[in-house]
Amino acid sequence: MHKLDLKNYLFMIKDIEYFIIKLETPYVPKDFPKNYAIGKDIDLIVSSNDFEQIKEITKDFSKEYSEYNIILYDSDSDCFRLRFEDNNTLHYQIDIRITMEGITNEHIQRCLENRIMQSNYYILPPSLERVFRELEYKTYNNSKPW
């Protein structure tokens, strides 16, 4: 099994209006996207205008990794997930969504307008990221201290 080239994936979506959330967590390696946490995922929020395009790019990206069992979850109109599994175990997952329960559309739009390019991918300033972190903290009963 060769590892996923997430650096290439992020290059492939460079023209998409998106941002990544929850990157600065204890399990994400400091040299992401060169390395990534096995058994975890990446969470991307994308503009509704680019949703179909990022889904196609993500599917194209997955074609390079036929040694993995690739599972596609594409039943929702605002969420898309692509799992790379090895021996029925999660290797890595790409989660893409337009909306997020508990987060207003206005906040997501503000995030898209204020995203920051870092190491060739988009993240949020801490003040905007905080809303997502607080939601995770409440959703998982304070079990995610980051």
Side-chain angles (χ1 to χ4, degrees), residues 3-105:
K3 70 179 192 173
L4 306 178
D5 187 349
L6 292 182
K7 191 173 181 180
N8 181 50
Y9 174 69
L10 294 168
F11 177 78
M12 292 170 70
I13 63 170
K14 69 182 181 349
D15 296 325
I16 299 289
E17 190 177 25
Y18 79 92
F19 56 88
I20 302 172
I21 58 172
K22 302 181 287 182
L23 260 187
E24 293 182 11
T25 59
Y27 55 80
V28 176
K30 298 288 184 213
D31 62 351
F32 176 89
K34 181 180 178 185
N35 287 300
Y36 54 89
I38 305 294
K40 298 294 185 181
D41 67 354
I42 183 172
D43 295 300
L44 292 90
I45 309 290
V46 65
S47 74
S48 57
N49 294 337
D50 288 339
F51 187 60
E52 292 303 319
Q53 185 178 0
I54 198 171
K55 282 174 26 177
E56 292 309 312
I57 292 170
T58 305
K59 289 175 190 176
D60 287 345
F61 171 74
S62 73
K63 291 175 184 173
E64 299 176 32
Y65 301 96
S66 60
E67 71 269 29
Y68 291 99
N69 181 28
I70 297 172
I71 302 170
L72 179 68
Y73 297 95
D74 189 15
S75 59
D76 294 330
S77 61
D78 69 343
C79 181
F80 172 81
R81 283 183 290 166
L82 195 136
R83 288 175 66 94
F84 296 86
E85 290 189 354
D86 180 22
N87 293 322
N88 295 321
T89 303
L90 176 64
H91 177 77
Y92 203 68
Q93 180 168 287
I94 299 173
D95 282 328
I96 302 168
R97 56 183 56 248
I98 297 170
T99 62
M100 191 169 192
E101 189 173 334
I103 304 290
T104 66
N105 291 338

Side-chain angles (χ1 to χ4, degrees), residues 18-21 23-24 111 114-118 121-125 129:
Y18 79 92
F19 56 88
I20 302 172
I21 58 172
L23 260 187
E24 293 182 11
C111 291
N114 293 285
R115 63 197 178 132
I116 300 167
M117 174 63 80
Q118 171 184 290
Y121 54 86
Y122 290 100
I123 61 166
L124 295 177
E129 172 79 16

